[in-house]
C-alpha cells in the first residue's frame, strides 16, 4: 500500500552517502502506486524528485519537496527471430538486468556491466561504456505522464538520444516517470572488444574467442580495478562527462599536448578522456578534507567519510577550473546537482 513518509533521511538512497533529508518520501512498486500518488493532495503541492538507485545525484542541501523512489521490478522476454525483446521494470538494478541477459545468452548489454543505477534511469542518461551506449540496444520505454496520469510508450526516434542525453533530460524533463524499458537484444552476439582494456584483459585470461559472459566478466574486472564500491566508499561513478570537441578545438589541444588521450566520434568530432585530463592536472588520488578523487580513477569523486554535498561540489569546481586552465577545455558534470 502506498505510503507518503515525512522528514526522511536520504543517506541510504544516494550512492554518495550524503546525509540530507526529504520533506516527503514515497517508494513506488507499480504503475498503480504512481497513479495513487498523483491523486494525493501532498503530491499536488510539492516539487518532485524521482530517483532510482540514487547513483547519479549529489545533494548539497535538504530536499524541500517529495522524493519518489522507483522500485518497480520484473523482467520478461519475447523472441523475435534471432532477436529478443527484453522488458524490465524501471526499479530493476541495472547490473542485475545485465546479468539476467548474459545468463540467458541475450547479447548487447554485456559491455555495460557494473554500471551503477537502475533500468529506469538508463534511457534518461543514455548510459554508455566500453564502446556501447544504451541507444544501441533500446527498443522503447513506458512512461507515466505526470500531467494526465496516463502511460505513454516512447520509441527510439522519440527519445532524441545524444551523448549522455535524451528527451527526458531536455524538453520533457520533469514531465514523465519511466516505468519500464524494452531492449532489442540478440541470440547471435556481435562481440565488441575494441574499446578500452577489454582485449588486454581477455588476452590475460587466455581467451581468444570470447562469449558475452567473457566480455561481461572482463568489463566487470576492469571496472572493479578502477572504480570504488559505493557500499564501502560514497561515490556516483564517473562525475564528469568525457568532453566532445570539434576538430579545430582538438588541433589546438593536441598542438600543446601531443599525447592527449582521444577517440573519434560518429559525428566526426573528438572525444577526450576526462579522467586523463584530470590526472594530468595532478588531481588523481588527491584528498581535500572528507572528499577527493579516487586513487585508481581521477574521473570519480568520492566521499571519504562525512563530506557534505557542498564540499564535493566545491572540489569539483576546482577540478573544472584546473582543466580549463591547462587544456582550454571545460568539463561538464555528469552527476545531477541538487
Amino acid at each position: 500500500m502506498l505510503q507518503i513518509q515525512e522528514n526522511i533521511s536520504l543517506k541510504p538512497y544516494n550512492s554518495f552517502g550524503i546525509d540530507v533529508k526529504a520533506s516527503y518520501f514515497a517508494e513506488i512498486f507499480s504503475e498503480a502506486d504512481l497513479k495513487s500518488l498523483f491523486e494525493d493532495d501532498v503530491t499536488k503541492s510539492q516539487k518532485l524528485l524521482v530517483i532510482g538507485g540514487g547513483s547519479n545525484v549529489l545533494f548539497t542541501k535538504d530536499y524541500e519537496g517529495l522524493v519518489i523512489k522507483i522500485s518497480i521490478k520484473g523482467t520478461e522476454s519475447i523472441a523475435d527471430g534471432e532477436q529478443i525483446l527484453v522488458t524490465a521494470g524501471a526499479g530493476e538494478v541495472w547490473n542485475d538486468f545485465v546479468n539476467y541477459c548474459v545468463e540467458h545468452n541475450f547479447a548487447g548489454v554485456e559491455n555495460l556491466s557494473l554500471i551503477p543505477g537502475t533500468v529506469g534511469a538508463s534511457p534518461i542518461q543514455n548510459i554508455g561504456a566500453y564502446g556501447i551506449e544504451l541507444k544501441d540496444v533500446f527498443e522503447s520505454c513506458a512512461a507515466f505522464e505526470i500531467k494526465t496520469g496516463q502511460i505513454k510508450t516512447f520509441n527510439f526516434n522519440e527519445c532524441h538520444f545524444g551523448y549522455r542525453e535524451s528527451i527526458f533530460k531536455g524538453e520533457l524533463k520533469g514531465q514523465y516517470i519511466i516505468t519500464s524499458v524494452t531492449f532489442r537484444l540478440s541470440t547471435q552476439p556481435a562481440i565488441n572488444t575494441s574499446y578500452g582494456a577489454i582485449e588486454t584483459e581477455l588476452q590475460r585470461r587466455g581467451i581468444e574467442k570470447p562469449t558475452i559472459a567473457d566480455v561481461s566478466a572482463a568489463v566487470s574486472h576492469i571496472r572493479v580495478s578502477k572504480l570504488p564500491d559505493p557500499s564501502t566508499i560514497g561515490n556516483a561513478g564517473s562525475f564528469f562527462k568525457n568532453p566532445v570537441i570539434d576538430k579545430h578545438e582538438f588541433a589546438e589541444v593536441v598542438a600543446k599536448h601531443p599525447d592527449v588521450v582521444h577517440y573519434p566520434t560518429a559525428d566526426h568530432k573528438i572525444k577526450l578522456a576526462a579522467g586523463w585530463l584530470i590526472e594530468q592536472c595532478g588531481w588523481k588520488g588527491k584528498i581535500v578534507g572528507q572528499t577527493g578523487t579516487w586513487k585508481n580513477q581521477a574521473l570519480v569523486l568520492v566521499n571519504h567519510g562525512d563530506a557534505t554535498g557542498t564540499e564535493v561540489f566545491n572540489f569539483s569546481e576546482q577540478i573544472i577550473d584546473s582543466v580549463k586552465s591547462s587544456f582550454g577545455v571545460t568539463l561538464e558534470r555528469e552527476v545531477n546537482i541538487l
Side-chain angles (χ1 to χ4, degrees), residues 29-211:
F29 297 96
S30 66
E31 290 179 353
D33 281 350
L34 271 178
K35 291 181 179 180
S36 296
L37 180 67
F38 281 88
E39 291 170 355
D40 194 286
D41 290 339
V42 169
T43 308
K44 296 173 184 178
S45 65
Q46 298 296 319
K47 68 176 183 176
L48 308 174
L49 174 65
V50 180
I51 62 173
S55 60
N56 197 42
V57 63
L58 175 66
F59 288 102
T60 61
K61 57 186 176 182
D62 290 343
Y63 189 78
E64 296 180 358
L66 170 63
V67 172
I68 304 170
K69 175 171 171 52
I70 303 300
S71 296
I72 300 173
K73 298 296 182 71
T75 303
E76 59 184 26
S77 60
I78 300 175
D80 184 13
E82 291 184 349
Q83 296 186 321
I84 303 288
L85 295 177
V86 186
T87 300
E92 288 287 349
V93 173
W94 174 260
N95 198 55
D96 290 348
F97 168 71
V98 172
N99 289 338
Y100 171 92
C101 294
V102 170
E103 289 167 6
H104 288 78
N105 199 38
F106 300 157
V109 294
E110 57 276 2
N111 291 52
L112 303 178
S113 296
L114 272 190
I115 291 179
T118 55
V119 166
S122 64
I124 298 173
Q125 183 76 358
N126 184 24
I127 61 172
Y130 296 101
I132 299 293
E133 288 185 314
L134 183 283
K135 67 179 180 62
D136 300 326
V137 293
F138 179 87
E139 174 70 13
S140 64
C141 66
F144 175 89
E145 185 175 19
I146 292 173
K147 184 177 180 179
T148 65
Q150 300 299 308
I151 300 294
K152 177 179 177 179
T153 298
F154 288 84
N155 64 30
F156 178 90
N157 290 329
E158 291 172 319
C159 288
H160 300 175
F161 291 120
Y163 176 57
R164 302 297 177 266
E165 295 290 344
S166 72
I167 196 169
F168 303 108
K169 287 181 70 176
E171 59 189 275
L172 294 186
K173 183 176 182 179
Q175 298 181 39
Y176 287 86
I177 298 173
I178 293 176
T179 58
S180 67
V181 183
T182 299
F183 304 82
R184 183 172 288 275
L185 306 178
S186 176
T187 58
Q188 301 299 314
I191 300 295
N192 182 345
T193 61
S194 61
Y195 196 95
I198 300 177
E199 193 67 54
T200 300
E201 177 59 23
L202 290 171
Q203 289 174 0
R204 188 186 72 81
R205 294 173 178 228
I207 298 172
E208 295 182 0
K209 295 182 178 180
T211 64

